[in-house]
């Protein structure tokens, strides 16, 4: 058992932002706070992105606080996992954040003397505060449909997407109307024998500028759900998909002609109750992710609606716990702001009468 003021769980954009602001506030890594990350190397979830997602295709990537993101010439053609991974590596070194990895945080529960007990693969920590910045990558969402177990082809999720090359000459169904689904579909359509796009709702394509006012309105909609204790929706679910030149071309050529969600899966494809059927060798589930917060389960933070209710970043049921990169702060710029806000409240917590170790 080791005593510490603050444990930061996760070293993606949100966790590094929190760690930066903790250090800037006067706390020292490994003395006053510790950063635990279960990934094998710096880069957060970016290190697991598929090779064909080059840095030039990434939208809305913002620099971490205190250090500009200035990739070298030619970076747009390199995998985003390499470019952003190198940036995160340099960031950790520049600010001496001393991330512990790979460390799995198994549970956070009530400790002694008003402290939190953080149980990990590296041992246990007794902490006065916690920044949970675990994102969503570790919880891919797999919908369940009748007959799914009978399908004789391949099923995979965005989390396992290897790039378009493996689908050359195959018939592929892509399920999901978000940014990943459209990116996968447009790539695969160039090499596959046939593609079919299936979504639960008709996709909404956003034309025109998307400024600060529109961004604030979108984040407010996500934030409202979190305040009500409902599971957060992604920001893109309320902003729609930007109508880029590539998407416009794909719509013109019919690649982005979508079908409504099928009703069941057969051994050789999918079927609708109206009698329509599509045969395929691959079903790619681009169906998103859910917040990875199972380590917080012993604290009983969930509301009847299924989510964790937060005010700003603070869990309403436990003021010692802050969720950064959760719900409205899931974007890169949102995570930066949330990290600063969480540290401001945590410092106020630490300045009270010290909790007994």
């Amino acid at each position: 058992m080791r005593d510490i003021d603050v444990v930061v769980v996760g070293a993606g954009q949100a966790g590094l932002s929190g760690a930066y602001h903790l250090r800037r506030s006067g706390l020292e890594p490994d003395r006053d706070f510790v950063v635990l990350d279960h990934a094998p190397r710096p880069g957060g979830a970016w290190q697991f992105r598929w090779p064909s997602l080059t840095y030039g295709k990434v939208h809305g990537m913002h620099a971490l606080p205190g250090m500009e993101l200035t990739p070298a010439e030619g970076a747009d053609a390199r995998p985003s996992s390499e470019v952003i991974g190198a940036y995160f590596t340099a960031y950790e070194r520049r600010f001496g954040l001393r991330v512990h990895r790979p460390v799995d945080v198994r549970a956070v529960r009530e400790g002694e003397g008003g402290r939190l007990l953080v149980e990990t693969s590296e041992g246990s920590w007794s902490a006065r505060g916690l920044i949970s910045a675990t994102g969503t990558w570790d919880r891919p969402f797999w919908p369940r449909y009748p007959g799914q177990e009978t399908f004789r082809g391949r099923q995979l999720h965005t989390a396992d997407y290897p790039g378009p090359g493996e689908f050359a000459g195959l018939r592929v169904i892509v399920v999901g109307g978000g940014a990943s689904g459209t990116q996968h579909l447009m790539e695969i359509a160039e090499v596959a024998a046939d593609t079919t796009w299936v979504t639960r709702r008709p996709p909404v394509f956003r034309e025109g500028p998307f400024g600060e006012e529109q961004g604030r309105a979108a984040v407010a909609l996500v934030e409202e759900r979190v305040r009500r204790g409902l599971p957060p929706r992604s920001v893109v679910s309320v902003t729609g998909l930007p109508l880029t030149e590539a998407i416009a071309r794909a719509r013109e050529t019919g690649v982005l002609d979508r079908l409504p969600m099928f009703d069941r899966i057969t051994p050789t494809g999918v079927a609708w109750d109206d009698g329509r059927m599509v045969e395929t060798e691959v079903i790619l589930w681009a169906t998103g992710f859910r917040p990875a917060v199972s380590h917080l389960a012993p604290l009983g933070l969930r509301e009847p609606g299924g989510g964790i209710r937060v005010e700003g970043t603070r869990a309403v049921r436990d003021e010692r716990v802050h969720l950064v990169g959760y719900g409205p702060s899931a974007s890169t710029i949102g995570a930066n702001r949330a990290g600063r806000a969480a540290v401001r409240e945590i410092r106020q917590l630490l300045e009270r009468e010290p909790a007994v170790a």
Side-chain angles (χ1 to χ4, degrees):
M1 179 75 72
R2 287 158 287 184
D3 294 336
I4 202 83
D5 282 333
V6 184
V7 172
V8 179
V9 185
Q13 186 97 11
L16 293 181
S17 172
Y20 168 85
H21 287 291
L22 284 170
R23 179 141 208 194
R24 192 179 182 194
S25 74
L27 301 184
E28 285 294 322
D30 288 343
R31 186 193 72 187
D32 304 309
F33 72 93
V34 64
V35 184
L36 309 176
D37 186 34
H38 84 146
R41 56 191 176 274
W46 289 101
Q47 66 192 274
F48 306 114
R49 297 294 202 269
W50 50 98
S52 56
L53 180 61
T54 58
Y55 183 70
K57 295 179 182 178
V58 172
H59 300 290
M61 180 66 197
H62 291 267
L64 284 157
M67 181 175 165
E68 288 300 316
L69 173 56
T70 53
E73 186 177 348
D76 282 358
R78 291 171 53 205
S80 59
S81 57
E82 292 180 10
V83 177
I84 299 174
Y87 171 62
F88 279 25
T89 299
Y91 190 86
E92 291 180 17
R93 289 175 180 166
R94 177 169 176 176
F95 296 106
L97 298 180
R98 305 175 197 167
V99 178
H100 294 227
R101 60 168 59 91
V103 178
D104 293 320
V105 174
R106 294 165 177 162
V108 181
R109 61 183 79 249
E110 190 64 46
E112 296 182 359
R115 299 173 74 94
L116 295 166
L117 176 62
V118 183
E119 299 174 350
T120 84
S121 59
E122 195 183 58
S124 296
W125 297 84
S126 174
R128 296 180 60 194
L130 181 93
I131 293 178
S132 182
T134 45
T136 62
W137 187 260
D138 296 322
R139 281 201 64 206
F141 174 62
W142 289 76
R144 293 290 174 250
Y145 280 84
Q148 195 162 0
E149 71 285 352
T150 70
F151 182 61
R152 294 198 292 263
R154 179 183 182 187
Q155 297 186 62
L156 71 162
H157 190 275
T158 289
D160 309 305
Y161 178 64
E166 289 194 20
F167 308 103
L170 301 178
R171 294 168 296 177
V172 181
I173 291 177
V174 177
V175 183
S180 294
T182 54
Q183 288 177 8
H184 297 338
L185 182 66
M186 290 188 295
E187 287 187 343
I188 293 170
E190 295 182 1
V191 299
D194 186 53
T195 59
T196 302
W197 190 28
V198 178
T199 70
R200 282 196 305 149
R201 305 182 191 89
V204 176
F205 296 98
R206 186 185 73 241
E207 296 187 63
F210 189 80
E212 289 188 13
E213 182 178 347
Q214 293 91 340
R216 283 194 296 268
V219 168
L221 291 173
V222 179
E223 192 171 19
E224 175 59 25
R225 285 182 59 86
V226 173
R227 283 198 182 122
R228 291 162 53 200
L230 298 173
R233 293 174 62 187
S234 66
V235 174
V236 75
S237 70
V238 294
T239 63
L241 294 164
L243 188 57
T244 63
E245 290 184 10
I247 286 180
R249 287 195 302 269
R251 293 179 73 185
E252 291 172 1
T253 59
V255 170
L256 290 180
D257 290 345
R258 63 73 78 166
L259 294 176
M261 198 64 209
F262 47 75
D263 296 296
R264 61 190 179 279
I265 300 175
T266 70
T268 58
V270 300
W272 289 258
D273 287 344
D274 63 6
R276 178 168 38 191
M277 298 181 68
V278 172
E279 294 199 343
T280 190
E281 283 94 21
V282 180
I283 301 175
L284 173 55
W285 298 93
T287 43
F289 300 79
R290 299 293 184 265
V293 292
S294 61
H295 57 291
L296 301 177
L299 295 176
L301 304 180
R302 285 194 184 274
E303 301 292 333
I308 298 176
R309 190 156 59 100
V310 300
E311 287 290 342
T313 62
R314 173 177 45 82
V316 170
R317 290 180 179 263
D318 195 325
E319 67 173 351
R320 300 168 297 181
V321 178
H322 287 257
L323 286 87
V324 180
Y326 178 84
S329 64
S331 66
T332 56
I333 191 168
N336 286 353
R337 293 169 177 167
R340 181 174 62 248
V343 169
R344 188 184 306 118
E345 290 200 33
I346 285 174
R347 286 309 307 255
Q348 293 172 359
L349 176 71
L350 297 179
E351 288 165 5
R352 299 181 199 166
E353 190 70 22
V356 179

